[in-house]
Amino acid sequence: MSMQATPEDLRDEVPGTDLREAWRIGRVFGPPIRRTFRDVIADRLSGPLPPQAAMLLEPLADPHWDSDSFFLGDFYNAILHQDTCHPDTAEGVALLAALSVDDRVPPQLRFQTVVLLFEIATVTDRHLAQCWPDVPPHADPENEGRARDAVRSCIPDLLARWAIECPAVRLALAGIAVVFPTVRTLPALTPRLEGFTVQHPQGTDIGDYVRFALVVAAGDDQHTLTAVETLTDVYWTGTARRAPTRARALHLLGQMLTVVGGTLRLPIAME
């Protein structure tokens, strides 16, 4: 029988200082994915850590000791709270960026962290499209701008992994690439997404997503608007027709990326 004390035993019987020591020496760890996240962040980030790192490094910071799913929900929410940026969101981007480029993090979770970076970078546009012509009720231009800039700074490191990433994460990377377009975005994405367009025809979730990402990457407002209207008429939640085209496009792309995440239970063909 294992002699390792459970976290519940420690919480009932010992003060916080002893629980922290038990955590430090490896007597207790919390949910398995927190151990992985903790190791990645400890290895990749130095100096003062973002406040959300306390959930990885501090045993009293989170009550969900034995549940990956509860822990992940709390951790992600601490960075982007209910799809709303707060003063610490920009700092939390560094955690997501580090987790997104480390192979110790399972592919499905790397997909989630890249998607969360996409959501942070597009908060302003998506909310504008949702609420048009009204001002989004929780708009915070300063914090949203800081968070968006933080995401922009980590894009080169994310995209540098394209060749070694799994197909699912490549789909998320395609989404985030078009949020910060350059003159190289479309020429680079087109050949990289060719395998997806061959394997996933128009009218499928992945097929529509990659084709729409290429339309947005082209930067032609009229073609983008036509694509938004066409796809919205099919099955996606619509946005006001007078809202800015780019805001509507990123709102739609976010919906599509969320649905694509549901395919992760199945192999995603690319070539």
Side-chain angles (χ1 to χ4, degrees):
M1 182 175 68
S2 172
M3 298 300 292
Q4 179 176 356
T6 67
E8 290 78 9
D9 292 338
L10 287 169
R11 280 176 178 267
D12 290 341
E13 298 174 6
V14 301
T17 53
D18 290 343
L19 180 56
R20 291 188 181 91
E21 178 63 13
W23 173 278
R24 186 186 68 79
I25 65 176
R27 190 177 172 199
V28 294
F29 290 104
I33 197 59
R34 177 155 56 177
R35 287 180 298 208
T36 299
F37 280 20
R38 181 190 67 179
D39 291 345
V40 169
I41 296 306
D43 290 346
R44 288 187 171 271
L45 298 183
S46 58
L49 293 174
Q52 299 91 340
M55 293 183 66
L56 309 179
L57 306 172
E58 168 55 61
L60 300 179
D62 180 74
H64 299 299
W65 282 93
D66 56 1
S67 170
D68 277 358
S69 60
F70 277 114
F71 163 71
L72 288 170
D74 285 352
F75 178 67
Y76 295 153
N77 192 55
I79 298 174
L80 183 66
H81 181 65
Q82 297 180 352
D83 204 31
T84 303
C85 293
H86 53 79
D88 293 329
T89 297
E91 284 72 21
V93 165
L95 301 176
L96 297 175
L99 296 168
S100 298
V101 298
D102 197 295
D103 290 326
R104 287 172 289 183
V105 177
Q108 185 168 355
L109 297 186
R110 293 203 307 278
F111 176 92
Q112 291 178 4
T113 55
V114 176
V115 170
L116 190 54
L117 289 170
F118 171 92
E119 291 173 348
I120 291 170
T122 59
V123 162
T124 300
D125 291 296
R126 291 185 295 105
H127 289 184
L128 181 65
Q130 285 175 325
C131 300
W132 187 268
D134 299 324
V135 175
H138 302 294
D140 187 340
E142 180 179 355
N143 287 321
E144 290 167 10
R146 289 179 58 244
R148 178 183 172 87
D149 288 344
V151 176
R152 186 198 304 271
S153 70
C154 69
I155 295 301
D157 289 339
L158 294 174
L159 295 180
R161 284 179 52 89
W162 184 281
I164 61 174
E165 269 299 358
C166 67
V169 176
R170 291 184 186 186
L171 290 171
L173 291 175
I176 205 167
V178 303
V179 178
F180 302 98
T182 70
V183 294
R184 299 179 56 193
T185 301
L186 183 61
L189 274 184
T190 300
R192 290 179 176 185
L193 293 178
E194 182 179 4
F196 290 109
T197 56
V198 169
Q199 292 294 323
H200 300 277
Q202 191 168 350
T204 63
D205 291 336
I206 294 177
D208 284 350
Y209 168 77
V210 295
R211 286 168 175 81
F212 184 57
L214 290 172
V215 170
V216 177
D220 185 306
D221 276 0
Q222 187 55 55
H223 289 166
T224 299
L225 180 60
T226 300
V228 169
E229 294 287 352
T230 301
L231 288 166
T232 298
D233 287 345
V234 176
Y235 49 87
W236 300 102
T237 300
T239 46
R241 283 184 164 84
R242 291 185 179 275
T245 297
R246 179 167 175 79
R248 295 185 67 195
L250 292 179
H251 180 272
L252 175 57
L253 194 65
Q255 291 184 78
M256 299 176 83
L257 185 53
T258 297
V259 171
V260 164
T263 68
L264 291 178
R265 298 184 183 90
L266 301 172
I268 295 179
M270 182 187 61
E271 56 188 16

